[in-house]
Amino acid sequence: MEHHAVGKAVFEQQCSICHGAGAGQKMGAPVIGDTANWTERLQKGYEPLYQHTINGYNQMPVMGNCLTCKPEDIK
C-alpha cells in the first residue's frame, strides 16, 4: 500500500476519533477542516506535529493511540 493510502487509513481508523468532529473537539483537538486551527500549528512546520503525534502531547497519547502504527505511518 502506498504511503498516502496508509496515512488515509490510519487517519480514518485512529486519528478521526479525536480529529474528526466529535469527542476530541471537547478536549481541544484540532478538527480536520478547521483551517484557522491547523494554520496556527503548521506555521511551526510539520516536524513538531510529527513529534507530538509520535511522542504524545498534552492529552494526545503516544502514536495517537495507534498500537500498530509505526512512525512512518504517522508521517
Side-chain angles (χ1 to χ4, degrees):
M1 188 181 301
E2 67 180 74
H3 290 302
H4 177 74
V6 170
K8 183 176 181 188
V10 168
F11 178 82
E12 290 172 351
Q13 294 170 10
Q14 296 293 140
C15 308
S16 66
I17 295 166
C18 293
H19 293 285
Q25 286 179 292
K26 295 176 185 173
M27 295 185 295
V31 176
I32 292 299
D34 182 351
T35 305
N37 208 329
W38 284 103
T39 298
E40 180 181 325
R41 287 167 167 79
L42 289 171
Q43 288 175 345
K44 298 173 186 172
Y46 284 98
E47 196 56 37
L49 290 175
Y50 296 148
Q51 292 307 312
H52 290 166
T53 306
I54 292 166
N55 300 314
Y57 185 76
N58 292 332
Q59 294 182 45
M60 182 169 181
V62 172
M63 297 299 285
N65 212 33
C66 181
L67 303 177
T68 59
C69 289
K70 300 176 197 141
E72 312 76 77
D73 299 335
I74 300 300
K75 290 183 175 184

